[in-house]
Amino acid sequence: MERTDHRDKAILLMSFRAQLKAIHRWALQPPADLSRIRHPVLEANGESDRMVPSENTLDLASRLPRGELVPLYPDAGHGGIFQFHDAFVARALAFLAARPDA
């Protein structure tokens, strides 16, 4: 009986403020040079993640030379990989199977 919409509980205001503070501190740093990371990376996120903004996932995917982005999960937040576990597990297993040395 999985939920099909409104899948995430509302974030607590205290948690949201703490996360925003951490993101703000992180955002003040110059972007890291990710071009040196040569290991394959699978990036996944929900389309409305408030804890780790979805835009950050898209940015990460664009800057990793061997990154592979899973399309953002619709109507999903921070727990998108759990809400779409069947699709994510299949994608993750295929990603790992294609890289036996990873």
Side-chain angles (χ1 to χ4, degrees):
M1 303 304 292
E2 295 178 22
R3 293 181 287 156
T4 57
D5 47 76
H6 305 296
R7 298 172 195 221
D8 284 338
K9 289 183 179 180
I11 184 174
L12 296 176
L13 184 57
M14 183 176 72
S15 299
F16 186 60
R17 285 183 177 153
Q19 187 69 18
L20 285 178
K21 186 176 179 180
I23 290 170
H24 179 72
R25 265 194 241 128
W26 171 79
L28 294 175
Q29 300 174 12
D33 178 13
L34 303 181
S35 67
R36 299 178 354 184
I37 298 175
R38 298 294 176 198
H39 199 74
V41 178
L42 182 65
E43 300 95 10
N45 201 354
E47 71 179 2
S48 55
D49 189 340
R50 293 183 183 160
M51 299 298 282
V52 177
S54 305
E55 295 80 24
N56 291 5
T57 303
L58 298 173
D59 176 62
L60 176 68
S62 72
R63 296 189 303 122
L64 286 166
R66 296 186 65 200
E68 186 176 316
L69 178 66
V70 174
L72 296 177
Y73 294 114
D75 190 32
H78 198 61
I81 64 170
F82 302 108
Q83 295 160 346
F84 289 86
H85 56 86
D86 289 336
F88 176 73
V89 168
R91 182 71 180 265
L93 290 173
F95 177 82
L96 294 170
R99 293 150 187 87
D101 60 330

